[in-house]
Amino acid sequence: MELNVYNRSRRKGYSNYKKIFGIIMRKTIAVLNLNDNISVSVIFVSDKKIKEINRDYRNIDRPTDVISFALADNKTENDYFAEELGDIFINVDAAIRQAKEYEHSEKREICFLFTHGLLHLNGFDHQTAEEEKKMIKYQKEILDDIVSENDKGEDYGSTTTN
C-alpha cells in the first residue's frame, strides 16, 4: 500500500493527515476485500484550484469539496500502473466550511472526503438512490469507528495561511 499526500493549499498542517488516511486505506482494503498492493495520491487544494479542475475536467464552473480521478477509468489491459488507483483532490476551504455546517471536526470532514474519494477510485458512485445508499453504507462502515460523526476533537490542519 502506498499513499502520497501533497499540500497545494496555502494552509498549513495538512500533510499530517497521512497517518489517519493510511488507517482508512487499510480499513477500506479489508472492508472491500481489495488487493493491498495499491497506490493513491491525495492533493489538498483551495477553492480556486478545485474550481479550475472542476471546470476543466467536468465542465462544471464552481468549486466542489472533493474530486477523484481513477486511473482505471482509462485503463487498458496492458496498463503498466495497474496497482495505482488514482488521485483524490480535497478542497480544504470547503472542508472547513462543511465541518462548521455539520457541527463536527475538520478532521472528520477531511477524513470523510478522503473516504468518499477512495470509494470513487474503487468504482463506487452516487448517481442513483441505490448507488448512494450503498456508498453511504460503506462510508459509515469504514470511517465511523476511526473518526466518529460527532468528533469534535483536535484538527490536523490549520486555518492559518503561509
Side-chain angles (χ1 to χ4, degrees), residues 109-138:
E109 189 63 22
I110 295 279
C111 290
F112 171 83
L113 294 174
F114 173 70
T115 305
H116 186 88
L118 195 54
L119 288 171
H120 276 304
L121 293 183
N122 282 286
F124 291 89
D125 211 337
H126 44 82
Q127 298 297 316
T128 67
E130 185 177 315
E131 289 175 337
E132 184 175 30
K133 185 176 177 182
K134 189 174 188 179
M135 198 162 177
I136 289 170
K137 171 192 168 286
Y138 280 122

Side-chain angles (χ1 to χ4, degrees), residues 6-10 43-58 60-67 69 89-94:
Y6 306 98
N7 184 8
R8 299 296 183 253
S9 76
R10 297 185 69 177
I43 304 94
F44 288 104
V45 296
S46 66
D47 269 337
K48 181 180 177 184
K49 184 63 179 173
I50 210 156
K51 180 181 177 183
E52 292 172 10
I53 294 167
N54 209 16
R55 182 193 63 225
D56 294 349
Y57 292 94
R58 299 178 64 221
I60 300 172
D61 194 20
R62 66 177 183 268
T64 187
D65 52 4
V66 63
I67 295 179
F69 292 100
F89 289 83
I90 296 175
N91 177 355
V92 297
D93 299 321

Side-chain angles (χ1 to χ4, degrees), residues 73-87:
D73 287 348
N74 301 314
K75 193 181 290 184
T76 65
E77 287 182 40
N78 298 318
D79 196 344
Y80 179 74
F81 298 105
E83 72 278 353
E84 188 165 346
L85 293 181
D87 299 329

Side-chain angles (χ1 to χ4, degrees), residues 148-161:
S148 97
E149 286 184 80
N150 301 317
D151 184 79
K152 307 271 192 248
E154 187 176 331
D155 298 320
Y156 298 127
S158 169
T159 57
T160 61
T161 58

